[in-house]
Amino acid sequence: MKKFHLALSLCAVLCLSAQADEKSSATDVSKSKDSNTQSLGVIEVTSDSSTPSTVDDVKINTRNATLVKDVFRDIPGVYVGGTNGMNQKIYMRGVSDRGLNITIDGAKQNGNTFHHNADLLIDPDLIKAVEVDVGARSVVNGSGALGGSVAFKTVDASDLLEEGQDIGAKLKVGYTSNNEGYSQSAMLYGRAFDSLDMLAAFKHYGYGFGESGNGKPTGGDGNDINYLLKAGYSFLDFHKISLSTEHMQYKGLYPLRAEFGSWLNGQLDNRKYERDTHTIKYTYNPSDLLELDITGYYTKHQRIGSTSTNVKWGVETKGGKIGAKSKFETGDLAHTLRYGFDYYRSENYVKPGNLRPEKVDNYSFYIEDAMRYGGLTVTPGVRYERHELKTYNGRGAN
């Protein structure tokens, strides 16, 4: 937390202004001072680096982002590499996304299908907001948050509808010159009975190999397809139930080691990488004393290595979490109390055969209180976590 007091600088500017007036009208000094001098209070400029960075929909839309790196490019300590969706990776203070807790609408994204592949598949056009917390400063971040956490939130119909509007649509086309990419997307959203909102979105993005600074080909030659379907029902003033299903797919000609930049010769192959995420969410928010969020989800990441062999590497994650937040004050202290329970199970597979399956069960409880006094915030927290790994279904020497 940094504070700067600018009162001295303002007084200096006003004094210079008064001196200039005195030189131009020396015959009536007292009148000049009375008519031009004003007394201002202290102006405080505050920079707060202790809270998570939030990227809102305005910033996302104005950047015309095609990859996640276009969204994160000005967040300190965060870097996203990759020239296409097949190899984009998030790094936070040098820690890769396999050491970060990444969620989409509360659904945990576990998906290490191949070490040269991306672990995250998401279309920036569908993002409403992103909350980035750099560093493991909070016990709420969840399992795997060694370097921090990234929470994506996708758009809802209620975010797009204006006051008194019941239906709307959004059509978008785009073109990128370096890789001759063309994108087309359509979104339809509406509200019925003042309590039911629905959204349907579809996008296609086709592109070829781009050209790097030294004139060599880079990226991939592919077609990205994704869709999002969401529905929400509000009832009894403070209750809401939401359902969503999302599919994201990259398909085309890509290098085996996609993150190696322009090393393409002899490594190109037709492959496909896809993600499916389904969520159900219940929220209850009667006041600042209680904001309850219950989420259940299923996510599958799957990579098809070659269309000729049709070998599939995949990770399925099922989980749920109950989280609550309470805001209150005790004397001069302002409290933000967070508490809840998390559980998920991840299982990998290699088809056909599936000879070396692994399974992880993880559950945890946490409680944290961010106590604020003036410009100082202290956040004590406790988290209990149990992590169980079962390899080879309990068989074999490993």
Side-chain angles (χ1 to χ4, degrees), residues 6 91 100 188 240 257 278 323 354 360 362:
L6 305 182
Y91 297 87
L100 308 177
L188 181 65
K240 185 174 183 179
R257 300 174 178 86
H278 314 287
N354 200 27
V360 165
N362 182 287

Side-chain angles (χ1 to χ4, degrees), residues 153-214:
K153 297 180 181 179
T154 58
V155 67
D156 295 311
S158 57
D159 302 315
L160 302 172
L161 292 170
E162 302 289 344
E163 186 68 27
Q165 189 180 27
D166 292 328
I167 191 170
K170 179 181 178 181
L171 302 176
K172 182 179 178 181
V173 294
Y175 171 73
T176 54
S177 59
N178 185 277
N179 60 353
E180 296 185 354
Y182 295 89
S183 63
Q184 314 88 34
S185 64
M187 187 180 298
L188 181 65
Y189 44 91
R191 180 186 295 120
F193 313 113
D194 294 327
S195 57
L196 178 64
D197 59 83
M198 295 172 288
L199 178 144
F202 176 83
K203 180 180 178 180
H204 168 261
Y205 179 39
Y207 50 89
F209 288 104
E211 184 176 311
S212 63
N214 59 2

Side-chain angles (χ1 to χ4, degrees), residues 47 83 92 195 232 236:
S47 174
T83 56
M92 191 175 291
S195 57
L236 298 177

Side-chain angles (χ1 to χ4, degrees), residues 70-259:
D70 300 323
V71 176
F72 287 168
R73 63 190 181 206
D74 60 351
I75 299 179
V78 179
Y79 170 75
V80 181
T83 56
N84 56 68
M86 184 67 78
N87 67 337
Q88 61 183 350
K89 294 175 180 288
I90 300 177
Y91 297 87
M92 191 175 291
R93 292 180 177 173
V95 179
S96 74
D97 44 19
R98 291 166 192 172
L100 308 177
N101 183 32
I102 300 179
T103 60
I104 299 176
D105 288 335
K108 189 173 179 65
Q109 300 300 298
N110 288 346
N112 182 6
T113 59
F114 181 49
H115 59 277
H116 288 296
N117 250 91
D119 296 328
L120 174 67
L121 289 80
I122 190 168
D123 178 15
D125 277 350
L126 300 180
I127 299 175
K128 173 175 62 176
V130 189
E131 188 173 283
V132 182
D133 197 356
V134 180
R137 299 180 295 189
S138 171
V139 299
V140 180
N141 285 346
S143 174
L146 177 64
S149 64
V150 181
F152 294 95
K153 297 180 181 179
T154 58
V155 67
D156 295 311
S158 57
D159 302 315
L160 302 172
L161 292 170
E162 302 289 344
E163 186 68 27
Q165 189 180 27
D166 292 328
I167 191 170
K170 179 181 178 181
L171 302 176
K172 182 179 178 181
V173 294
Y175 171 73
T176 54
S177 59
N178 185 277
N179 60 353
E180 296 185 354
Y182 295 89
S183 63
Q184 314 88 34
S185 64
M187 187 180 298
L188 181 65
Y189 44 91
R191 180 186 295 120
F193 313 113
D194 294 327
S195 57
L196 178 64
D197 59 83
M198 295 172 288
L199 178 144
F202 176 83
K203 180 180 178 180
H204 168 261
Y205 179 39
Y207 50 89
F209 288 104
E211 184 176 311
S212 63
N214 59 2
K216 293 184 178 181
T218 185
D221 184 353
N223 287 277
D224 305 344
I225 296 176
N226 66 280
Y227 63 80
L228 171 66
L229 303 174
K230 298 186 80 172
Y233 177 67
S234 302
F235 59 101
L236 298 177
D237 295 331
F238 308 115
H239 303 262
K240 185 174 183 179
I241 295 178
S242 303
L243 300 172
S244 71
T245 180
E246 183 184 2
H247 176 77
M248 184 79 200
Q249 173 186 290
Y250 297 109
K251 182 181 180 181
L253 191 65
Y254 298 97
L256 175 65
R257 300 174 178 86
E259 82 279 24

Side-chain angles (χ1 to χ4, degrees), residues 4-21:
F4 307 94
H5 296 272
L6 305 182
L8 182 59
S9 299
L10 290 172
C11 289
V13 173
L14 293 174
C15 290
L16 291 174
S17 177
Q19 290 176 3
D21 291 337

Side-chain angles (χ1 to χ4, degrees), residues 76 213 277 392:
T277 299
Y392 290 74

